[in-house]
Amino acid sequence: MTGVIVVTGGSRGIGAATCRLAAEAGYAVVVNYASDGAAAAAVVEQCRASGAAALAHRCDVAVESEVVEMFDTVEAELGVVTVLVNNAGILHRQMRFDETTVERWREAIDVNVVGAFLCAREAVRRMSTRHGGAGGAIVNVSSAAAYLGSPNEYVDYAATKGAVDTLTIGLGKEVAAEGIRVNAVRPGVVHTEIHARGGEPGRVDRVAPQVPMQRGGQPAEVARTILWLASDDASYITATTVNCSGGR
Ligand code: NAP
């Protein structure tokens, strides 16, 4: 399946790698971002250099009106979305759970869970054969944190990814007969800027010895898994999650 792909958080890291690979595969690419317009514009240029149609769209995935407006804009400018990659995600500074605040939990849940819910709902409303759509695929970006739990780092973040896994199972089953496949990828430790946000820019190298493959992952390795799940090569796969974590 190609067509129109919306990648939330497409301006950096795993999302940017997914946008670039999607452009090479022939998709028209929507690079969603929250604040870094220059980074998003650079990814759009890279996609266009592959011959793909591409546009950047600023939208906070946690804000309902902005998400609805993004899907409407995409439909008007590129056509109906065929693939949604729910990739936008945040984590906070590493700390014990008993030091965390309700404001922090709410922000993580808003972006990582409500954001994924909102984008998935808008995609289903447009893709589902029940609503006159032509079907499609949703790939949620979860995390190995969902089964590791991230003790002493960010238990709250890990719990949001558990919710993403459950969304994948339930929604996948709910829309399986409506032309939509819903799957997820659980990256392990991957070389992106997200670890600096957690207060430890060198985290991937510290954790690498705990990874059976003895290294962190590259964004492109996760992107390839995402695009495989979105593709017709995964045509009989839905409501499941693939670990992309070097065996950890
Ligand atoms: P990253 O480098 O920090 O990039 C995050 C992206 O999300 C940026 O494009 C950012 O846009 C966007 N974003 C943040 N908040 C947003 C919001 N409210 N609305 C829309 N976009 C928003 O992160 P990454 O490491 O590539 O992570 C991507 C996904 O993989 C996340 O869901 C993360 O939890 C998951 N993951 C990552 C790892 C890892 O080791 N890197 C491991 C497991 C899972 P701006 O630049 O505009 O803020």
Side-chain angles (χ1 to χ4, degrees):
M1 166 170 317
T2 52
V4 179
I5 188 170
V6 174
V7 182
T8 67
S11 56
R12 288 189 282 117
I14 292 167
T18 303
C19 289
R20 288 189 287 267
L21 206 61
E24 288 171 17
Y27 287 96
V29 182
V30 179
V31 182
N32 160 256
Y33 66 102
S35 56
D36 192 345
V43 176
V44 165
E45 282 314 306
Q46 290 161 352
C47 292
R48 288 180 180 157
S50 299
L55 60 85
H57 190 96
R58 199 214 70 78
C59 142
D60 181 342
V61 294
V63 178
E64 182 175 20
S65 59
E66 293 186 14
V67 171
V68 172
E69 198 257 331
M70 175 171 73
F71 277 84
D72 287 345
T73 302
V74 168
E75 198 166 323
E77 296 196 11
L78 295 175
V80 179
V81 59
T82 51
V83 175
L84 165 67
V85 182
N86 259 328
N87 167 77
I90 58 165
L91 48 72
H92 295 86
R93 290 188 75 79
Q94 296 170 2
M95 62 179 71
R96 282 177 51 90
F97 184 73
D98 54 12
E99 294 171 348
T100 55
T101 62
V102 71
E103 290 77 19
R104 165 180 162 136
W105 304 340
R106 289 211 165 107
E107 191 182 20
I109 291 168
D110 259 4
V111 177
N112 299 357
V113 182
V114 177
F117 283 15
L118 283 172
C119 292
R121 187 190 69 186
E122 292 309 306
V124 167
R125 285 179 173 176
R126 289 160 176 80
M127 292 174 178
S128 171
T129 54
R130 184 188 176 99
H131 300 302
I138 297 173
V139 182
N140 297 319
V141 181
S142 175
S143 173
Y147 56 82
L148 294 170
S150 306
N152 300 303
E153 292 188 324
Y154 15 69
V155 171
D156 50 352
Y157 166 82
T160 67
K161 295 302 186 177
V164 169
D165 285 1
T166 304
L167 167 70
T168 304
I169 295 167
L171 183 61
K173 291 177 179 176
E174 191 166 300
V175 299
E178 298 170 22
I180 306 174
R181 294 182 302 102
V182 185
N183 292 293
V185 176
R186 291 195 198 104
V189 282
V190 180
H191 289 279
T192 74
E193 294 167 24
I194 202 168
H195 306 286
R197 184 178 169 114
E200 188 185 1
R203 179 171 179 268
V204 177
D205 292 331
R206 173 177 63 79
V207 173
Q210 301 165 28
V211 178
M213 282 189 173
Q214 298 288 297
R215 66 173 178 86
Q218 293 299 330
E221 294 180 291
V222 183
R224 283 195 288 272
T225 311
I226 292 169
L227 287 173
W228 172 70
L229 283 170
S231 78
D232 290 339
D233 287 345
S235 56
Y236 199 52
I237 298 176
T238 198
T240 198
T241 301
V242 175
N243 295 341
C244 183
S245 58
R248 185 164 179 247

